[in-house]
Amino acid sequence: MTDDPVTLGRRHGGPHHEELERLGLRPEEVIDFSVSTNPYGPAPAVVEAIRRAPVAAYPDPSATLARRRLAEHLGVRASQLALGNGAADLLWSLARALVSPHTRVLIVEPTFGEFRAAAEAGGATMAEWRASLESAFQIDTAAIADRVRAACAQVVYLCAPNVPTGAGLPAGALAALAAALPAVEIVLDQSFLLLSHDWQDLGLPLPENVICVRSLTKEHAIPGVRVGYVLAAPARIERLERHRPAWSSSAPAQAAAIASCAETAFVAESRARLLQDRLRLCADLRALGLQPLPSTTNFFLLPVRDAPALRARLLGNHRILVRDCTSFGLPSFIRLSARPAGDCQRLLTALRAELPRC
Ligand SMILES: Cc1ncc(COP(=O)(O)O)c(C=O)c1O
């Protein structure tokens, strides 16, 4: 793994180019189960819209057309939306808007690390509630509310479907949590919503104190473009805008957001295939004597003996990349993403060879 100062302490899936160079591998030779973007994308019309985006002029700093089209698509008002340079960028912007030194922030762990990193950089006092293996990492909103009250937290970060566990959060449980904590800002990261069983929650009205962050990276398979959005009450959107620079979404990102709204069928088809791919892979892993954990989305946790060693052997010996979950505090788990059947067969062959050693 790299010691690159940019990513140190915030590991993510996907290839680390320096590591591949050391192993003499090219990125295109590697089958990547560590990153959970849609392997069936992107949709040609989205790629075409990105290609045609005007790059010789500044983009609209308010992303007016993209917000208007997204608003129509989601059944909300444009004033409830902010477009950004990916969900990660929006999480950092939200932390700038919500956190000052000593703001008390609670993170629902184990989870995606960017909001914690941003809150820590802003001088927050951190607390956490941690889901347990015994409950298959379920998100227990009553226990979270108790912990938030005990820690006097003012801001909560909650990811659902959660990364890396795949645990979901029913809309009713979210509503109850928000109602129980009316003075708390709940940052809800739904980056994987559209690739999950809960995709129909997309258009549900959100409680006033919930700030929803979504990525277009995952279902549209466009991580290189950097585009996501925040959905929240207009006053919270205004606050976010005051805490970030102008031109926070590029012309290609705005074009991708507009084009993505016409791709409901592509997303639905991809989701159906990926949820089926996940079921098939989990069944094959169980046939090997392994015990994949339940998930609501296109990735899941797999308990193993030594995740760092297994990751290294799969990459070095088989050109297969999996997510070692040590950085989530889970050194005996890898995270696997759903992929087409041929890729899964290669993974199963590699696991048969390597599991006896790690
Ligand atoms: C839960 C979660 N939120 C946000 C992101 C970042 O998404 P984006 O590519 O839109 O910045 C990721 C990326 O892995 C993620 O897993």
Side-chain angles (χ1 to χ4, degrees):
M1 295 276 263
T2 176
D3 283 336
D4 176 356
V6 176
T7 53
L8 196 63
R10 304 203 312 274
R11 304 287 190 206
H12 295 299
H16 298 265
H17 289 265
E18 182 195 282
E19 183 185 31
L20 295 189
E21 252 172 44
R22 207 173 349 101
L23 294 169
L25 296 175
R26 282 176 285 122
E28 59 276 15
E29 300 178 312
V30 173
I31 302 181
D32 191 355
F33 284 86
S34 76
V35 78
S36 304
T37 51
N38 177 1
Y40 299 113
V46 172
V47 175
E48 188 53 28
I50 293 164
R51 284 219 178 94
R52 294 162 70 108
V55 294
Y58 275 96
D60 173 5
S62 309
T64 313
L65 295 181
R67 283 169 48 247
R68 220 178 262 161
R69 181 72 184 94
L70 265 175
E72 192 187 347
H73 180 63
L74 298 167
V76 300
R77 283 169 290 142
S79 57
Q80 292 174 265
L81 292 172
L83 206 69
N85 197 23
D89 167 72
L90 288 162
L91 289 169
W92 277 77
S93 298
L94 278 171
R96 268 201 304 278
L98 298 173
V99 173
S100 31
H102 310 301
T103 301
R104 289 179 296 279
V105 175
L106 183 136
I107 309 285
V108 176
E109 294 279 5
T111 198
F112 185 65
E114 292 291 330
F115 192 78
R116 174 186 277 275
E120 283 174 350
T125 301
M126 305 303 296
E128 68 176 45
W129 177 85
R130 205 171 172 85
S132 69
L133 172 59
E134 294 68 47
S135 67
F137 297 109
Q138 288 308 299
I139 298 169
D140 179 344
T141 46
I144 292 168
D146 287 346
R147 184 78 190 95
V148 168
R149 287 194 200 95
C152 300
Q154 298 149 294
V155 177
V156 171
Y157 171 80
L158 176 56
C159 181
N162 187 42
V163 168
T165 62
L169 179 66
L174 171 68
L177 181 69
L181 304 169
V184 174
E185 300 290 327
I186 300 176
V187 177
L188 175 67
D189 185 339
Q190 290 187 320
S191 289
F192 282 94
L193 184 68
L194 281 183
L195 294 182
S196 82
H197 295 287
D198 295 326
W199 61 273
Q200 278 158 319
D201 289 357
L202 186 75
L204 284 187
L206 290 174
E208 183 77 12
N209 54 333
V210 172
I211 301 169
C212 181
V213 182
R214 292 181 185 153
S215 172
L216 297 184
T217 291
K218 317 299 182 182
E219 66 268 23
H220 290 289
I222 48 172
V225 175
R226 315 306 304 128
V227 58
Y229 65 92
V230 168
L231 169 63
R236 287 169 170 84
I237 296 292
E238 277 168 31
R239 188 168 170 186
L240 167 66
E241 294 295 3
R242 281 199 299 276
H243 286 84
R244 63 180 192 155
W247 307 295
S248 281
S249 66
S250 68
Q254 293 182 26
I258 293 170
S260 73
C261 294
E263 296 299 333
T264 310
F266 162 79
V267 172
E269 197 182 305
S270 298
R271 174 173 57 242
R273 290 173 82 174
L274 286 169
L275 294 178
Q276 198 51 44
D277 289 338
R278 189 199 80 217
L279 288 179
R280 191 200 53 242
L281 177 56
C282 286
D284 289 343
L285 290 167
R286 277 193 290 274
L288 287 185
L290 299 168
Q291 293 179 314
L293 267 60
S295 166
T296 63
T297 188
N298 63 320
F299 54 83
F300 58 94
L301 287 177
L302 183 70
V304 296
R305 257 188 298 155
D306 181 346
L310 181 60
R311 176 192 179 279
R313 295 190 72 92
L314 288 174
L315 183 59
N317 298 341
H318 306 271
R319 300 175 183 186
I320 287 177
L321 191 55
V322 301
R323 176 68 159 95
D324 157 22
C325 290
T326 302
S327 67
F328 295 105
L330 302 170
S332 351
F333 288 88
I334 57 170
R335 187 189 65 204
L336 295 174
S337 300
R339 293 198 59 85
D343 292 351
C344 293
Q345 282 312 317
R346 293 246 330 249
L347 172 68
L348 292 162
T349 304
L351 283 173
R352 269 189 218 103
E354 299 300 345
L355 276 171
R357 291 178 193 84
C358 37

